[in-house]
Amino acid sequence: MYIKDTIAAISTPVGEGGIGIIRVSGDAAPQVATRLFRGTTDGGLQSHRFYYGELVEPGKGNVIDEVMLVLMRAPRSYTREDVLEIHCHGGSLVVQKVLDLVLMQGARLADPGEFTRRAFLNGRIDLIQAEAVIEVIRSKTETALALAQHQREGLLSQRIGLIKDEVVHALALLEAYIDFPEEDIPPADYDEIARRTESAASGIEALLAGFREGRVLREGVAVLLAGKPNVGKSSLLNTLLREKRAIVTAIPGTTRDIIEEVINIRGLPVRLLDTAGIRESVDLVEQEGVRRTLEKIPQADLVLFMVDVSRPFDSEDELLLDNLAGSRFILVKSKCDLPAVMELPSLLLDAPSVTISTLTGDGVDQLRQVVHDTFLRDGAVDSREYVAISHARQRDALVKGLEALDRFSRNLALAVTAEILAIDLRDALRAVGEVTGETTPDDILDLIFQRFCIGK
């Protein structure tokens, strides 16, 4: 529910910083400025102009801080309401004091994401663009940021709009005859209706096909390094990170717990997990490390199954292979700088594999490429026009839309009445509208905006 009151919040991160920003949105924003600000305003606050002065406690005259202040009048603001920003020094105490004074002037503390929610409710952005705002903030790679910016700029919304237009035109043609049941729909109009609905279905299918890529760019992937002791897992972790993060020794079983680090592989956010070597052990700590490794394997998006080609394939390698059933993995044949003696079992002969040496660096770039290509099409996400859905909510709504169009296609072939066909198209429109927020229920909106920080 949208109540047109005035809200306020701190919009900069908690802690000390050079600048702190308090944001105010609503009809009372100009009055908050005039009550608290003391400085040269040339007879009034002009919109979108910064003013230098002091923030003063009303009635007492105490100077709270030296500030810069800007008022952005509706509709030329983030929320399409009057928006006030107060830029003060970034200490925790002074920022909180400024906020307290603003709240004392009648503003209410904003809920998480309430500024962006008002931008959505006031028609400045749609729901896709609103979701993209939080993804811009949380992006871990330049590629993920580019995808989020494309969504924020409306590229995905435009694609959804084209799909919606096709369904709307098909429905308009159909409804033209519903009020005149004695008239048959001409074959040419049936052909036009079928063409437009097929075009809409193809557009949805194309977006659904890109969901996996969009999701991994937004969320990243978990890649587990697994193998028996001393196959080079920790050395590979250090090589990929380009720093000495894990302890590397000639003593087997050095890694006892899971070490997790995040790297960027050509725009793909990757959580690397170095794990305890898989083997039978009487050491209770090492046993727990092995147990945790085996527990993590089914949860990983990809396992790098490392074997040492300078040693025979033995029971410890076999133990890990048995636990990889059902998991996606790449066979990493390490220590290729040493004479190779390993003979692989038949189960691994056709497995995707890379041969590497962390000592010389051979094969490491190829491994990075293989990991990248496992999840992303090479070069696809680099295009300025690249758009993809990246949220399960968006995918589920489009799936419902596609199901409605498939149902329409089947009913059209069965020559059912125009009224039934219109119901199918309205269902498709409602589902597509959920993606952009036109028909999204309030409880779903609540869940979406709760993911935002207060002040955004």
Side-chain angles (χ1 to χ4, degrees):
M1 185 178 177
Y2 179 21
I3 301 173
K4 286 185 68 66
D5 56 356
T6 299
I7 58 174
I10 299 168
S11 290
T12 41
V14 177
E16 293 185 357
I19 297 174
I21 299 175
I22 293 83
R23 177 182 283 172
V24 187
S25 181
D27 292 343
Q31 288 72 41
V32 170
T34 55
R35 289 172 188 167
L36 300 180
F37 182 71
R38 184 169 68 192
T40 302
T41 60
D42 302 325
L45 294 173
Q46 297 182 30
S47 183
H48 293 78
R49 177 177 174 181
F50 269 98
Y51 291 89
Y52 164 76
E54 296 172 329
L55 204 76
V56 179
E57 191 171 359
K60 297 181 181 180
N62 299 332
V63 175
I64 303 303
D65 196 17
E66 182 181 35
V67 301
M68 295 290 290
L69 178 144
V70 59
L71 178 65
M72 293 161 277
R73 293 193 180 274
R76 295 174 55 227
S77 71
Y78 184 67
T79 62
R80 282 195 173 167
E81 301 174 334
D82 288 340
V83 171
L84 171 70
E85 284 187 0
I86 302 170
H87 296 227
C88 61
H89 289 97
S92 299
L93 181 59
V94 66
V95 172
Q96 186 61 51
K97 180 66 174 176
V98 173
L99 176 63
D100 290 343
L101 285 178
V102 169
L103 296 178
M104 289 171 63
Q105 310 313 307
R108 168 177 62 80
L109 184 64
D111 292 329
E114 192 167 2
F115 291 96
T116 303
R117 183 166 187 161
R118 289 191 175 196
F120 162 69
L121 293 173
N122 287 327
R124 181 179 173 273
I125 56 176
D126 62 26
L127 194 55
I128 294 173
Q129 293 171 299
E131 287 177 308
V133 170
I134 194 65
E135 301 311 330
V136 167
I137 295 170
R138 293 179 177 174
S139 295
K140 297 180 179 66
T141 69
E142 289 188 9
T143 308
L145 176 60
L147 174 63
Q149 293 287 21
H150 291 175
Q151 292 182 351
R152 186 193 60 79
E153 292 166 6
L155 296 184
L156 177 56
S157 302
Q158 292 171 17
R159 193 77 64 84
I160 297 294
L162 294 174
I163 294 169
K164 178 186 172 184
D165 286 347
E166 295 284 48
V167 180
V168 167
H169 279 92
L171 183 60
L173 284 170
L174 194 62
E175 289 185 331
Y177 296 94
I178 289 178
D179 294 333
F180 305 97
E182 68 280 0
E183 296 187 20
D184 293 330
I185 301 177
D189 282 357
Y190 265 127
D191 291 344
E192 177 72 3
I193 290 169
R195 185 188 67 77
R196 289 188 176 277
T197 54
E198 288 167 5
S199 174
S202 296
I204 292 177
E205 288 170 348
L207 288 175
L208 289 174
F211 170 69
R212 186 176 69 90
E213 289 182 344
R215 182 186 65 82
V216 300
L217 283 174
R218 182 173 68 86
E219 298 178 4
V221 294
V223 176
L224 187 80
L225 307 182
K228 66 186 178 186
N230 271 22
V231 294
K233 298 186 300 299
S234 296
S235 295
L236 179 57
L237 176 74
N238 291 342
T239 300
L240 293 172
L241 290 174
R242 295 187 172 92
E243 65 175 86
K244 294 183 178 180
R245 173 64 177 85
I247 297 173
V248 177
T249 73
I251 303 171
T254 304
T255 302
R256 301 296 187 91
D257 205 349
I258 294 174
I259 299 174
E260 182 174 328
E261 290 290 340
V262 177
I263 64 170
N264 175 356
I265 298 181
R266 300 189 58 203
L268 175 68
V270 174
R271 284 193 302 118
L272 275 180
L273 296 97
D274 183 20
T275 61
I278 302 297
R279 67 171 179 177
E280 298 290 343
S281 175
V282 296
D283 186 307
L284 293 179
V285 177
E286 190 173 0
Q287 286 178 13
E288 176 61 17
V290 171
R291 186 192 68 78
R292 292 185 182 186
T293 298
L294 297 178
E295 187 179 71
K296 281 285 185 181
I297 286 174
Q299 302 170 17
D301 297 297
L302 177 67
V303 177
L304 300 185
F305 175 20
M306 297 189 67
V307 294
D308 179 354
V309 295
S310 69
R311 292 190 280 169
F313 193 92
D314 58 22
S315 60
E316 292 171 350
D317 297 305
E318 191 72 43
L319 175 61
L320 178 55
L321 179 58
D322 291 341
N323 281 274
L324 285 175
S327 296
R328 178 191 291 176
F329 71 89
I330 296 170
L331 181 66
V332 179
K333 296 180 280 189
S334 71
K335 303 187 182 182
C336 67
D337 53 289
L338 299 175
V341 300
M342 176 174 286
E343 292 186 9
L344 293 173
S346 57
L347 284 174
L348 292 176
L349 292 179
D350 295 325
S353 65
V354 179
T355 302
I356 69 164
S357 168
T358 55
L359 182 64
T360 65
D362 290 346
V364 175
D365 285 341
Q366 183 189 357
L367 178 60
R368 289 191 180 97
Q369 184 70 45
V370 171
V371 171
H372 173 276
D373 293 349
T374 300
F375 299 99
L376 297 176
R377 293 170 293 161
D378 192 32
V381 298
D382 297 330
S383 168
R384 176 61 184 82
E385 290 75 33
Y386 176 76
V387 293
I389 58 172
S390 54
H391 291 267
R393 180 197 71 81
Q394 298 167 353
R395 178 203 59 196
D396 293 346
L398 288 177
V399 166
K400 287 193 294 184
L402 186 60
E403 289 172 348
L405 290 174
D406 287 343
R407 189 166 60 248
F408 170 86
S409 180
R410 292 193 301 271
N411 285 335
L412 185 64
L414 293 171
V416 302
T417 64
E419 289 84 353
I420 299 298
L421 293 174
I423 290 174
D424 294 334
L425 293 186
R426 291 190 194 103
D427 287 345
L429 275 179
R430 190 178 303 109
V432 172
E434 287 183 21
V435 183
T436 55
E438 296 173 71
T439 57
T440 306
D442 285 344
D443 57 340
I444 301 299
L445 293 178
D446 291 340
L447 290 174
I448 291 170
F449 288 103
Q450 284 171 9
R451 298 172 54 234
F452 285 62
C453 57
I454 294 176
K456 189 56 187 170

